[in-house]
Amino acid sequence: RKEVEQDPGPFNVPEGATVAFNCTYSNSASQSFFWYRQDCRKEPKLLMSVYSSGNEDGRFTAQLNRASQYISLLIRDSKLSDSATYLCVVKGTGGGNKLTFGTGTQLKVEL
Amino acid sequence: GAVVSQHPSWVICKSGTSVKIECRSLDFQATTMFWYRQFPKQSLMLMATSNEGSKATYEQGVEKDKFLINHASLTLSTLTVTSAHPEDSSFYICSASGSDRGGWNEQFFGPGTRLTVL
């Protein structure tokens, strides 16, 4: 079983739609959780951290359920510029500062 | 965020040659640098972690004699792919973290180097 699992997609949604991505992680000892965004042929960029209480940053909302080892990302009022691959990332699986990346979920926002 | 550069951006080489990739932290001291590899439609896979002035720690399955890592200063780490073969063709990305940047030892990623071995 992969340490971090995501549905690869692609998810094709119309502009303005609300879309949600899910992620599960296998190691209950994982400490920190993040969503990164990666554009084609580019490096990943931190989108937001994920906290147990849930957190929001503009149109983006992240949720963490430690009991179920489940992380989600909700994007409201999606824009064309949101088209990218969204990577679920877990820190602390191997100890220290190591990040473990999911394979990513591809989002395509269309007119 | 902090700035991390990588050079070259892309490289095409013949099988059997060695390729060196540089990763630099431009505006902070990177006590730790990480090297990742990403094959098409796959996740970033950590290859090794290097701390300035000490030997790199390689992940399971990564050949340390093939992927030579040097982290001689707080702003520079290099990855040398020795005797590259077509199966080494991939997107290589470095990241850097330092105690003076980022509240949780955030990793700042370089733009990546696309290696194609013919």
Side-chain angles (χ1 to χ4, degrees):
Chain A
R1 183 186 172 188
K2 292 181 183 175
E3 290 184 66
V4 180
E5 294 209 54
Q6 294 181 253
D7 182 338
F11 285 68
N12 299 311
V13 302
E15 200 174 17
T18 296
V19 61
F21 305 137
N22 304 320
C23 165
T24 56
Y25 60 96
S26 61
N27 192 325
S28 59
S30 300
Q31 300 167 7
S32 307
F33 310 88
F34 311 92
W35 283 101
Y36 277 71
R37 169 193 170 131
Q38 187 175 26
D39 292 286
C40 188
R41 293 176 173 265
K42 300 282 188 180
E43 76 277 20
K45 294 186 178 177
L46 180 64
L47 181 65
M48 59 197 303
S49 301
V50 187
Y51 304 113
S52 297
S53 55
N55 49 298
E56 188 175 308
D57 183 0
R59 297 182 293 109
F60 299 84
T61 301
Q63 296 272 354
L64 167 65
N65 184 321
R66 283 188 183 270
S68 303
Q69 295 178 207
Y70 172 94
I71 306 160
S72 67
L73 175 68
L74 183 79
I75 304 176
R76 288 182 300 278
D77 188 24
S78 52
K79 313 288 185 190
L80 294 174
S81 57
D82 293 334
S83 298
T85 296
Y86 291 84
L87 306 171
C88 178
V89 182
V90 173
K91 180 188 172 195
T93 300
N97 208 19
K98 178 181 173 180
L99 298 180
T100 302
F101 286 78
T103 51
T105 299
Q106 188 179 9
L107 172 67
K108 295 181 181 179
V109 182
E110 303 165 331
L111 287 172
Chain B
V3 179
V4 176
S5 70
Q6 248 181 275
H7 292 283
S9 300
W10 57 268
V11 58
I12 301 172
C13 68
K14 292 182 179 179
S15 186
T17 58
S18 293
V19 176
K20 180 185 281 188
I21 302 170
E22 290 189 352
C23 177
R24 291 181 186 274
S25 58
L26 299 184
D27 56 355
F28 71 106
Q29 294 186 326
T31 49
T32 306
M33 285 187 168
F34 303 84
W35 286 96
Y36 296 84
R37 179 168 54 181
Q38 186 178 32
F39 293 107
K41 297 191 183 296
Q42 294 188 26
S43 61
L44 272 76
M45 296 299 295
L46 180 65
M47 299 174 68
T49 303
S50 74
N51 292 296
E52 184 265 338
S54 60
K55 289 184 179 180
T57 302
Y58 289 79
E59 294 298 302
Q60 194 172 11
V62 179
E63 299 174 58
K64 61 182 178 182
D65 294 330
K66 180 170 180 62
F67 299 98
L68 302 178
I69 292 172
N70 183 285
H71 189 170
S73 79
L74 286 171
T75 59
L76 173 65
S77 176
T78 61
L79 167 68
T80 301
V81 183
T82 62
S83 187
H85 288 93
E87 58 266 30
D88 297 324
S89 299
S90 187
F91 190 45
Y92 291 86
I93 309 174
C94 73
S95 70
S97 69
S99 57
D100 61 334
R101 271 302 180 107
W104 52 271
N105 280 335
E106 182 178 351
Q107 291 184 29
F108 299 94
F109 286 84
T113 297
R114 193 161 298 280
L115 171 64
T116 302
V117 185
L118 302 175

